[in-house]
Amino acid sequence: MASSQTPSLCPIMHRLISLIARITGEPGAIEQGRLIDQLTDLETQALETGAPSRTIEAIRSVRLTIRVASLKPQSLGMRGH
């Protein structure tokens, strides 16, 4: 009989998901810097503990996305008519 349970995620992936879930709206520059630092630390821990490669790639992807977002000019909002 087949099990209906999904495979469990590694602890590092759980931490990544928790970190992402705490992001509210569009973080400012300081918050983006903190997130990048936290993701760098998490990736280091993932590498040191032998986390699955898909977990490491997910961390890198999120970090890169935040880094790219931090380089975009801030929107000026709606211009009045």
Side-chain angles (χ1 to χ4, degrees):
M1 182 182 209
S3 172
S4 62
Q5 293 180 346
T6 57
S8 62
L9 296 174
C10 79
I12 301 291
M13 184 61 86
H14 279 287
R15 289 188 52 208
L16 175 61
I17 292 168
S18 295
L19 184 62
I20 293 169
R22 288 193 309 251
I23 299 172
T24 58
E26 291 187 29
I30 293 172
E31 182 65 31
Q32 286 173 333
R34 286 185 189 134
L35 286 167
I36 291 169
D37 289 346
Q38 290 172 333
L39 289 164
T40 300
D41 293 344
L42 188 60
E43 182 179 349
T44 299
Q45 183 181 7
L47 290 166
E48 289 173 351
T49 61
S53 60
R54 67 181 179 272
T55 298
I56 296 166
E57 289 304 316
I59 297 167
R60 288 177 180 162
S61 177
V62 172
R63 190 183 57 201
L64 178 61
T65 299
I66 293 171
R67 179 69 181 126
V68 168
S70 75
L71 298 174
K72 290 182 182 178
Q74 297 297 318
S75 64
L76 300 175
M78 296 292 291
R79 294 189 181 176
H81 280 256

